[in-house]
C-alpha cells in the first residue's frame, strides 16, 4: 500500500461556500473529473457540498474516491464566537465519520483553521502584526480544545496555517506548535506567500506534519495585489495560487523532502481560485495537469 495518497479539493474549482450559488460545477461532475484524472481522494469543501451520510459515502465510493479531510473554521480568538461555533464542528465530525472506510493512515483529517483577521485578510502575506503575546495562551487553549474534541470522536485533526489569519507566518506556526499538540496541515502555497520556505519548514516541523496541501504561489501577483490595495479573496482571483510549476514553489524539492522525512498520509493538491474567474473546462484541465506533474515526480 502506498504511503502517500493524492487528493484534490473543491477550492480548486472555486467552491468555497454553499452560498456560492449556483456552484461552478456540481459535486458529481467534480468527483468524476478528479477520479478520471487519477486522484485517490477529495477534501469535503463546504460541509454538505458533497453530501452527508449515505449520500456522501455513495458519491465517493461510486467514483473510487476517499474523503481526505475537510475545512472547519472556528474563531479561536473570540471566546463567545468560538463557543457558538462548536456545534458546527460536531456536525462536520458527523460528516467525516460517515465517509467511506479508509485504509489505516488515510481516515479523513478534520482541518482546523481560524476564521481570520480582518487586518491580515486586507493585507495578506505577513506584513500585518498578528496576536499579541498575551493573547496566544487563550487562542491556543481553544485550538487544543477543538483538537481534543476531534480525538474524542476517533479522528485526528490538523491545523491549517493560512494567509489572512492569526496563524499566517512561520513564526505564528512555531508559536502554535509550541502551545498545543495539534498536528500541522502544511500548506506550501500559503507558507510561500507568507514569507516561508516550504522545504525548510517540512524539515523543521517534520515531527508535527500530519497533512500536506501542495499549491504553488506567485509573489509577483501578491506584490501587485498589495500595491493595488486588494484583499486575499481578490489575490486568489488574480491567480496568486498558480498551477503547479507556474509559480515559485520548489515542487521537486518538496517531493524529495517528503520522502526524506518519511511522510505518510494525504497530499492534497489545491489551486485556490474564485468562482467565475476560470471556466470549468480550464479548472478541470489544470487539476489533471497538476496530478500529472506529481506523478512525474513519483507521487
Amino acid at each position: 500500500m502506498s504511503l502517500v495518497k493524492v487528493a484534490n479539493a473543491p477550492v480548486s474549482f472555486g467552491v468555497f461556500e454553499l452560498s456560492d450559488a449556483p456552484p461552478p460545477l456540481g459535486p458529481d461532475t467534480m468527483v468524476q473529473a478528479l477520479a478520471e484524472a487519477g486522484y485517490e481522494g477529495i477534501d469535503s469543501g463546504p460541509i454538505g457540498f458533497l453530501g452527508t451520510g449515505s449520500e456522501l459515502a455513495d458519491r465517493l465510493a461510486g467514483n473510487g474516491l476517499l474523503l481526505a479531510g475537510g475545512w472547519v473554521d472556528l474563531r479561536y480568538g473570540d471566546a463567545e464566537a468560538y463557543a457558538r461555533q462548536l456545534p458546527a464542528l460536531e456536525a462536520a465530525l458527523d460528516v467525516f465519520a460517515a465517509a467511506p472506510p479508509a485504509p489505516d493512515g488515510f481516515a479523513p483529517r478534520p482541518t482546523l483553521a481560524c476564521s481570520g483577521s480582518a487586518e491580515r485578510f486586507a493585507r495578506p502575506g505577513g506584513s500585518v502584526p498578528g496576536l499579541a503575546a498575551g493573547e496566544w495562551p487563550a487562542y491556543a487553549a481553544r485550538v487544543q480544545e477543538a483538537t481534543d474534541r476531534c480525538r474524542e470522536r476517533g479522528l485526528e485533526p490538523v491545523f491549517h496555517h493560512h494567509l489572512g489569519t492569526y496563524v499566517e507566518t512561520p513564526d505564528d506556526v512555531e508559536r502554535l506548535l509550541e502551545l498545543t499538540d495539534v498536528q500541522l496541515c502544511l500548506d506550501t502555497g500559503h507558507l510561500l506567500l507568507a514569507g516561508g520556505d516550504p522545504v525548510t519548514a517540512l524539515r523543521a516541523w517534520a515531527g508535527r506534519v500530519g497533512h500536506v496541501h501542495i499549491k504553488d504561489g506567485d509573489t509577483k501577483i501578491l506584490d501587485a495585489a498589495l500595491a493595488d490595495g486588494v484583499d486575499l479573496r481578490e489575490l486568489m482571483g488574480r491567480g496568486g495560487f498558480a498551477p503547479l510549476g507556474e509559480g515559485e514553489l520548489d515542487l521537486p524539492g518538496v517531493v524529495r523532502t517528503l520522502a526524506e522525512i518519511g511522510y505518510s498520509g494525504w497530499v492534497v493538491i489545491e489551486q485556490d481560485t474564485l468562482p467565475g474567474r476560470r471556466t470549468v473546462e480550464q479548472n478541470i484541465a489544470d487539476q489533471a495537469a497538476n496530478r500529472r506533474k506529481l506523478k512525474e515526480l513519483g507521487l
Side-chain angles (χ1 to χ4, degrees), residues 3 29 33 56 78 88 93 105 135 138 142 157 165-166 180-181 213 227 235 247 257:
L3 295 177
T29 304
L56 169 68
D78 182 326
L93 298 180
E135 296 175 299
R142 294 182 194 109
T165 74
Y166 292 119
T180 70
D181 68 6
H213 286 184
L235 169 66
T257 304

Side-chain angles (χ1 to χ4, degrees), residues 68-292:
W71 184 269
V72 184
D73 257 339
L74 296 170
R75 294 184 63 185
Y76 301 103
D78 182 326
E80 292 184 1
Y82 167 79
R84 289 195 300 270
Q85 291 175 323
L86 286 176
L89 171 61
E90 295 296 336
L93 298 180
D94 289 340
V95 172
F96 301 148
D104 289 345
F106 295 98
R109 304 300 295 263
T111 306
L112 305 177
C114 70
S115 298
S117 153
E119 295 79 13
R120 281 184 159 184
F121 191 90
R123 299 282 300 173
S127 64
V128 176
L131 291 171
E135 296 175 299
W136 267 106
Y139 183 97
R142 294 182 194 109
V143 173
Q144 187 65 57
E145 180 189 354
T147 299
D148 294 341
R149 283 174 175 262
C150 294
R151 290 172 177 162
E152 289 167 3
R153 298 288 300 275
L155 295 164
E156 185 63 34
V158 288
F159 189 93
H160 191 310
H161 60 95
H162 199 282
L163 290 181
T165 74
Y166 292 119
V167 185
E168 180 179 53
T169 69
D171 286 345
D172 297 333
V173 175
E174 292 276 8
R175 189 69 172 132
L176 184 77
L177 295 179
E178 176 188 344
L179 294 173
T180 70
D181 68 6
V182 69
Q183 291 188 314
L184 181 68
C185 174
L186 192 147
D187 186 299
T188 61
H190 281 277
L191 192 70
L192 179 66
L193 294 188
D197 177 350
V199 170
T200 299
L202 279 169
R203 293 188 178 123
W205 301 330
R208 297 289 291 275
V209 175
H211 210 53
V212 176
H213 286 184
I214 289 185
K215 62 166 64 79
D216 213 332
D218 190 326
T219 59
K220 297 183 295 299
I221 294 177
L222 171 64
D223 291 344
L226 293 174
D228 291 344
V230 301
D231 63 14
L232 174 58
R233 185 173 175 86
E234 179 59 21
L235 169 66
M236 293 188 293
R238 292 184 177 193
F241 296 114
L244 294 183
E246 295 185 18
E248 296 154 41
L249 177 68
D250 178 7
L251 183 61
V254 166
V255 173
R256 284 196 306 269
T257 304
L258 288 173
E260 289 170 6
I261 67 174
Y263 175 77
S264 64
W266 284 107
V267 166
V268 184
I269 295 175
E270 293 185 334
Q271 187 186 334
D272 300 3
T273 188
L274 294 188
R277 294 299 180 94
R278 299 174 66 80
T279 68
V280 169
E281 292 76 17
Q282 286 174 316
N283 284 330
I284 290 174
D286 277 348
Q287 301 325 306
N290 286 340
R291 183 67 190 99
R292 288 194 297 273

Side-chain angles (χ1 to χ4, degrees), residues 9-102:
V11 294
S12 300
F13 301 87
V15 178
F16 288 88
E17 306 287 345
L18 290 179
S19 58
D20 290 335
L25 76 170
D28 289 319
T29 304
M30 185 183 298
V31 296
Q32 182 178 353
L34 293 178
E36 290 174 352
Y39 288 95
E40 298 164 283
I42 185 172
D43 260 22
S44 67
I47 297 299
F49 172 70
L50 296 177
T52 59
S54 60
E55 180 186 18
L56 169 68
D58 292 347
R59 174 170 283 130
L60 297 190
N63 287 276
L65 296 180
L66 298 172
L67 186 66
W71 184 269
V72 184
D73 257 339
L74 296 170
R75 294 184 63 185
Y76 301 103
D78 182 326
E80 292 184 1
Y82 167 79
R84 289 195 300 270
Q85 291 175 323
L86 286 176
L89 171 61
E90 295 296 336
L93 298 180
D94 289 340
V95 172
F96 301 148

